[in-house]
């Protein structure tokens, strides 16, 4: 393994619940060994990026009810291709070359898994998406 791969893997958090076993599909192994640790590592960046997304869209997110905020997050992840591709880039940029080679073999299914995890992360962090005080006045 080259220095870049070693360095990338060394900074990823270890997720105890992200198990990899022989009876799992290749996609599930990739999800647990690569996607989940990278997305967890990128969590703070994802939160900041989503705050910027809200801001660029006139802060309408803050006026929505909780169910509509959840739908807003889902819509941003699933329908806004520019945002979706930006998020994918933040995650794919943390792949090793070997992981990227695995990823491109089944990128469509892995993208779905990736976006589902990102959506779940944003939803679990929804309490962080409160309107800044300066804008609330």
């Amino acid at each position: 393994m080259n220095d870049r791969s070693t360095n990338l893997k060394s900074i990823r958090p270890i997720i105890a619940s992200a198990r990899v076993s022989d009876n799992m599909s290749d996609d599930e192994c990739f999800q647990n060994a690569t996607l989940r640790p990278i997305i967890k590592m990128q969590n703070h960046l994802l939160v900041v990026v989503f705050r910027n997304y809200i801001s660029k869209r006139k802060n309408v997110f803050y006026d929505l009810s909780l169910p509509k905020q959840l739908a807003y997050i889902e819509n941003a992840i699933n329908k806004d291709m520019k945002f979706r591709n930006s998020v994918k880039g933040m995650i794919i940029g943390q792949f090793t070359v070997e992981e990227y080679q695995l990823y491109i073999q089944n990128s469509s299914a892995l993208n779905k898994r990736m976006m589902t995890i990102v959506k779940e992360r944003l939803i679990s962090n929804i309490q962080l998406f409160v309107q800044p005080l300066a804008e609330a006045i």
Side-chain angles (χ1 to χ4, degrees):
M1 208 179 307
N2 63 30
D3 286 345
R4 180 180 184 277
S5 296
T6 303
N7 291 339
L8 283 171
K9 287 186 171 187
S10 73
I11 62 172
R12 293 180 190 164
I14 295 170
I15 303 174
S17 63
R19 305 236 185 264
V20 176
S21 65
D22 294 338
N23 62 346
M24 291 180 171
S25 69
D26 290 343
D27 289 353
E28 191 173 1
C29 287
F30 189 84
Q31 170 186 295
N32 289 340
T34 303
L35 294 177
R36 288 181 65 197
I38 289 172
I39 293 167
K40 183 174 185 174
M41 181 181 74
Q42 296 288 70
N43 185 65
H44 186 70
L45 178 61
L46 292 168
V47 167
V48 171
V49 165
F50 192 69
R51 278 191 193 133
N52 183 59
Y53 181 86
I54 292 168
S55 174
K56 295 283 184 192
R57 280 146 192 84
K58 312 270 190 248
N59 295 321
V60 297
F61 177 86
Y62 301 121
D63 297 328
L64 301 174
S65 64
L66 181 60
K68 289 190 177 183
Q69 285 180 338
L70 299 176
Y72 188 97
I73 291 170
E74 186 164 351
N75 190 56
I77 294 293
N78 293 329
K79 302 257 179 359
D80 187 329
M81 287 303 132
K82 187 176 177 184
F83 180 71
R84 181 182 175 97
N85 288 336
S86 176
V87 169
K88 279 194 318 196
M90 289 175 221
I91 296 162
I92 293 169
Q94 297 297 316
F95 288 177
T96 64
V97 171
E98 298 80 13
E99 289 166 340
Y100 182 72
Q101 290 168 339
L102 290 170
Y103 165 79
I104 59 176
Q105 292 174 15
N106 197 10
S107 61
S108 181
L110 292 172
N111 285 339
K112 287 178 187 171
R113 288 175 181 266
M114 184 189 309
M115 291 301 112
T116 298
I117 297 168
V118 169
K119 180 182 71 171
E120 289 170 356
R121 274 228 164 245
L122 291 175
I123 287 171
S124 71
N125 284 308
I126 200 159
Q127 73 279 3
L128 299 176
F129 304 120
V130 294
Q131 188 166 17
L133 290 176
E135 294 177 11
I137 298 173

